[in-house]
Amino acid sequence: MDRASEQVGKEGNDSNASKDTRHYADDILPHILNLYASRTTPSDFDIYAANATFEDPLMTANGVNQIKSAFYSLRKVFKESSIVEYSIKENMISPGKHEILIDNKQHYKFWGRDIEMISLIKLDVEEGKVVRHEDRWDKKPLKNRETVETPLLGRMIEAARKGSMFATHAMMGFGKDPAETPQQQQ
């Protein structure tokens, strides 16, 4: 069943249901693939709202500049990176609010070693802009004060992710777009 059919099935026959059948994933996915493939250009970040957040098990980014630092750092750390397989599901939460789930397999090359990772990317979209981007490695929920048994441990995990982001953000020039390389200009 395609996404439009899924959406109609969820709304049922309610005559007051929204007719919002736009699929934001169609516009957003090419940019997400660029971000994870280290082919990022400044325009790839136009998918994010100004106050968007990005979170994975290593860092928490707040705002587009920190999100830029997080993704621009991939090309500094990995020789190769990409999403090699994926499937998408988009759900309308309410009019203008959608959730996009990208079940995927990521490939990285680090110091000559191939690394394959299963992930679930969850995007919360409002009025066409990503407001929250969460990358759940091994499809596991992120650990924080609400998801671990000891809230203090969860706060420590959150603090470590923020510290990691601060170091990455400083190292990457506080979200400054890198100068274009000859490959990007082609």
Side-chain angles (χ1 to χ4, degrees), residues 12-167:
N13 293 327
D14 183 0
S15 60
N16 294 326
S18 169
K19 301 297 182 205
D20 182 5
T21 59
R22 179 163 169 73
H23 297 293
Y24 293 113
D26 297 338
D27 297 329
I28 292 172
L29 184 65
H31 299 286
I32 294 295
L33 293 174
N34 283 344
L35 294 175
Y36 282 87
S38 299
R39 293 189 305 254
T40 310
T41 65
S43 65
D44 288 316
F45 297 99
D46 292 344
I47 64 172
Y48 292 101
N51 62 343
T53 61
F54 165 78
E55 196 166 4
D56 71 10
L58 293 181
M59 62 182 65
T60 298
N62 293 299
V64 176
N65 283 340
Q66 284 189 1
I67 294 170
K68 284 181 177 185
S69 291
F71 282 100
Y72 284 145
S73 71
L74 286 178
R75 65 179 84 163
K76 302 277 186 185
V77 175
F78 299 105
K79 183 174 181 178
E80 296 175 14
S81 66
S82 64
I83 292 178
V84 292
E85 296 174 17
Y86 63 88
S87 63
I88 301 167
K89 183 176 180 183
E90 183 169 350
N91 302 311
M92 184 176 75
I93 306 303
S94 64
K97 292 185 180 184
H98 289 234
E99 172 186 73
I100 300 170
L101 301 171
I102 306 169
D103 191 350
N104 68 93
K105 180 177 178 183
Q106 298 173 15
H107 169 81
Y108 297 94
K109 186 169 271 239
F110 182 70
W111 286 23
R113 186 171 167 228
D114 289 325
I115 300 167
E116 303 287 329
M117 182 172 69
I118 301 299
S119 170
L120 177 66
I121 298 170
K122 180 179 178 284
L123 305 173
D124 294 336
V125 179
E126 293 181 8
E127 303 302 329
K129 295 285 187 177
V130 175
V131 295
R132 180 163 173 74
H133 177 163
E134 195 175 292
D135 193 349
R136 298 177 177 182
W137 298 355
D138 295 322
K139 301 183 187 182
K140 295 179 183 171
L142 296 172
K143 293 183 179 178
N144 59 41
R145 67 186 116 182
E146 284 120 26
T147 61
V148 297
E149 288 184 26
T150 310
L152 179 60
L153 177 61
R155 287 183 188 269
M156 291 170 46
I157 292 169
E158 290 172 0
R161 282 201 296 262
K162 288 178 182 176
S164 174
M165 183 65 248
F166 180 77

